[in-house]
Amino acid sequence: MQLSGFNLSDYERILDIGLDAGYRFYTLADYLESDTVDEPHVVLRHDVDRRVGNALALASAEADRDVTSTYYFRTNTFSPDVARRIESMGHEVGYHYEDLAKTRGDVEEAHRRFGTNLDSFREHVDVRTACAHGSPLSPHLNTDMWKDARTAADYGLLGEAYSALEFDSRGESDLLYLSDTGRDWDATMSNFGAIRSTDDVVGALESRACSSLYVLAHPSRWAVSGLQTVERPCWDIAAEAGKVAASGAHSAQRASGRLAEGTRAARAIRSVVTRVSRE
């Protein structure tokens, strides 16, 4: 876990270096809709799990640089006014769903809830993609709601957030996945090396060692005030400890056969982690 490197100024440095190096930034929807994409490029995503004000700060920093990205809101972080403001800056707003966890594994009820919540979001913004929330305190993988024949397309969506990774038969993707989860980017880039800190991310962009990246940055992780600079690392340390404990309990449940195997989207997420750890 990296205790520094997650302030708004650090995030702005990522944007500036990426632009200086010639990277084109894409929302998830724009990337999925594009027949061809510019090289080099970054698919940029934000999961708004908490701290909506931080999301606005990141969205403004991006808009000031003509960068567009995707912001996924949970039902408890979705504010019509905030969502419309972010959309008006040119960004995409999507649904960060956790319906299977909320319905305690009831797939049919999860689909009903998903449709209702999606309709509610669409009363205020144009939602074209969705992304599963990890729901670390639940034993249910939200992507498991797609186990039946239904797909995101049935809800008028272009796809799920990890559709952009387009895994081949070996479980690999042309996009290198970088996530700030756990305050550690925890990846390896060919021709560059290990990427652990935000300085490493900046260095990798500057070197253009990889021409196609998929970057996930949680707004709540990026401090936008002096108080948050102190408070955020402490909160993240406690949160990660809780996730580890919950993950152990849920793994035991899955091993006992009480949970079904993850769907293609869930397996895609896991294969990213596996691929990165091998490099």
Side-chain angles (χ1 to χ4, degrees):
M1 178 177 288
Q2 308 292 318
L3 297 181
S4 62
F6 290 93
N7 293 325
L8 178 59
S9 59
D10 297 309
Y11 184 72
E12 291 174 328
R13 192 156 56 100
I14 290 175
L15 298 176
D16 290 336
I17 292 298
L19 290 169
D20 289 345
Y23 282 85
R24 164 78 183 276
F25 289 82
Y26 286 89
T27 68
L28 263 297
D30 288 344
Y31 185 82
L32 292 174
E33 285 186 318
S34 297
D35 293 327
T36 59
V37 293
D38 296 335
E39 298 286 351
H41 59 262
V42 176
V43 179
L44 185 55
R45 161 187 151 205
H46 304 288
D47 293 353
V48 189
D49 296 335
R50 291 170 295 279
R51 296 187 179 272
V52 174
N54 289 34
L56 278 171
L58 267 62
S60 296
E62 292 163 349
D64 288 344
R65 295 162 171 80
D66 292 325
V67 167
T68 56
S69 65
T70 301
Y71 286 80
Y72 288 111
F73 287 87
R74 301 166 66 187
T75 55
N76 64 354
T77 59
F78 182 77
S79 160
D81 290 341
V82 170
R84 283 193 294 262
R85 284 179 62 186
I86 288 178
E87 187 178 62
S88 72
M89 296 179 196
H91 304 302
E92 177 192 3
V93 173
Y95 175 33
H96 200 30
Y97 65 94
E98 48 193 319
D99 299 294
L100 194 63
K102 292 293 187 181
T103 60
R104 299 184 179 183
D106 186 328
V107 174
E108 195 60 41
E109 180 63 15
H111 275 281
R112 187 202 63 77
R113 191 178 189 275
F114 183 94
T116 297
N117 289 333
L118 185 60
D119 288 344
S120 178
F121 276 38
R122 282 173 164 166
E123 291 178 4
H124 309 283
V125 289
D126 180 23
V127 179
R128 295 187 290 166
T129 63
C131 176
H133 177 56
S135 301
L137 299 182
S138 170
H140 301 287
L141 295 172
N142 287 300
T143 48
D144 278 352
M145 66 176 282
W146 306 109
K147 286 172 55 179
D148 59 17
R150 285 169 286 195
T151 69
D154 293 327
Y155 293 92
L157 295 167
L158 292 173
E160 220 266 2
Y162 286 93
S163 300
L165 290 168
E166 296 181 349
F167 288 88
D168 61 22
S169 59
R170 297 172 299 172
E172 297 181 352
S173 171
D174 290 335
L175 286 166
L176 178 64
Y177 181 68
L178 296 177
S179 171
D180 64 357
T181 300
R183 297 180 70 90
D184 191 328
W185 296 95
D186 193 21
T188 301
M189 183 180 290
S190 300
N191 303 320
F192 181 82
I195 301 175
R196 303 297 301 276
S197 68
T198 298
D199 283 342
D200 293 336
V201 175
V202 169
L205 289 169
E206 198 166 28
S207 72
R208 290 185 55 161
C210 184
S211 63
S212 52
L213 300 171
Y214 182 124
V215 176
L216 165 60
H218 296 79
S220 61
R221 183 148 289 128
W222 299 83
V224 299
S225 68
L227 177 61
Q228 284 190 16
T229 300
V230 177
E231 181 264 345
R232 285 289 79 202
C234 296
W235 195 97
D236 285 335
I237 289 171
E240 290 305 311
K243 287 180 183 179
V244 170
S247 177
H250 300 159
S251 294
Q253 284 185 316
R254 295 186 183 103
S256 69
R258 281 183 281 167
L259 289 179
E261 181 185 358
T263 57
R264 182 184 65 80
R267 291 197 300 272
I269 296 170
R270 288 194 286 271
S271 64
V272 173
V273 177
T274 301
R275 177 175 59 82
V276 169
S277 66
R278 289 200 309 263
E279 294 176 342

